Amino acid sequence: MVGRWRDGTGTLHVVGGADGADGAEEDREGAEEDREGAEGSAGRAEGLSAARAAGIPLIIAASYRARARGLLGRDGLTGALLLTPASGVHTFRMRFAIDVAYLDRRLTVVDVHTLRPGRLGRPRLRSRHVLEAEAGALERWGVRRGVRVVIAPGPSTPPPPSVR
């Protein structure tokens, strides 16, 4: 975890459940198949590890100005946007629907919702950070309630504006 966040870029990694399971069910299945002599499970486990190791591009908005701007004026987003500190969001004047994940201080997902443009998301009291992505992206990445994420900060300079 980072003591003080700064505007910039980073990488988001989905770790696993709040209990630290991190795909323990798949690992158990893979171990059983290995004992039986199946080679397919090793390739599957390497594929999962490679996907988790690659990470998801992330923009970190920690300053008031960066948080206020958020995704306004964009037609889409590649990766995700982390608003910190934040406990709620809105989609007024936005051009596309977004998935919103509310994170606590330990970066565990408290709640996940999809918001269409022109909506006000209810603030979550335990939320310290908000993760935003295009609608449907969080589900594809495996981000759901109880899952923990890890953020690897990149350079502390704001990324150039991207227009899609």
Side-chain angles (χ1 to χ4, degrees), residues 129-147:
H129 316 282
V130 174
L131 187 66
E132 297 180 345
E134 284 192 8
L138 294 181
E139 185 177 347
R140 283 193 312 270
W141 299 334
V143 177
R144 61 189 181 285
R145 183 181 295 179
V147 167

Side-chain angles (χ1 to χ4, degrees), residues 94-114:
M94 288 190 59
R95 299 177 184 165
F96 58 98
I98 61 171
D99 282 344
V100 179
Y102 299 90
L103 310 174
D104 66 9
R105 290 184 184 273
R106 294 184 175 182
L107 300 179
T108 301
V109 179
V110 175
D111 207 359
V112 179
H113 285 283
T114 301

Side-chain angles (χ1 to χ4, degrees), residues 26-145:
E26 289 96 359
D27 292 343
R28 271 187 246 117
E29 289 173 8
E32 288 172 9
E33 288 177 6
D34 283 343
R35 280 192 293 263
E36 294 170 4
E39 289 184 9
S41 64
R44 185 180 52 144
E46 287 174 12
L48 277 173
S49 299
R52 287 183 178 159
I56 299 151
L58 181 71
I59 299 170
I60 301 170
S63 68
Y64 174 78
R65 184 175 183 177
R67 288 191 318 267
R69 171 135 169 89
L71 295 175
L72 296 177
R74 294 182 187 217
D75 289 328
L77 174 67
T78 303
L81 172 70
L82 177 73
L83 303 172
T84 180
S87 61
V89 295
H90 68 82
T91 57
F92 300 122
R93 298 185 338 186
M94 288 190 59
R95 299 177 184 165
F96 58 98
I98 61 171
D99 282 344
V100 179
Y102 299 90
L103 310 174
D104 66 9
R105 290 184 184 273
R106 294 184 175 182
L107 300 179
T108 301
V109 179
V110 175
D111 207 359
V112 179
H113 285 283
T114 301
L115 293 176
R116 296 190 332 245
R119 304 287 187 222
L120 177 64
R122 221 177 63 228
R124 303 305 190 272
L125 297 178
R126 290 182 30 224
S127 175
R128 175 73 175 152
H129 316 282
V130 174
L131 187 66
E132 297 180 345
E134 284 192 8
L138 294 181
E139 185 177 347
R140 283 193 312 270
W141 299 334
V143 177
R144 61 189 181 285
R145 183 181 295 179

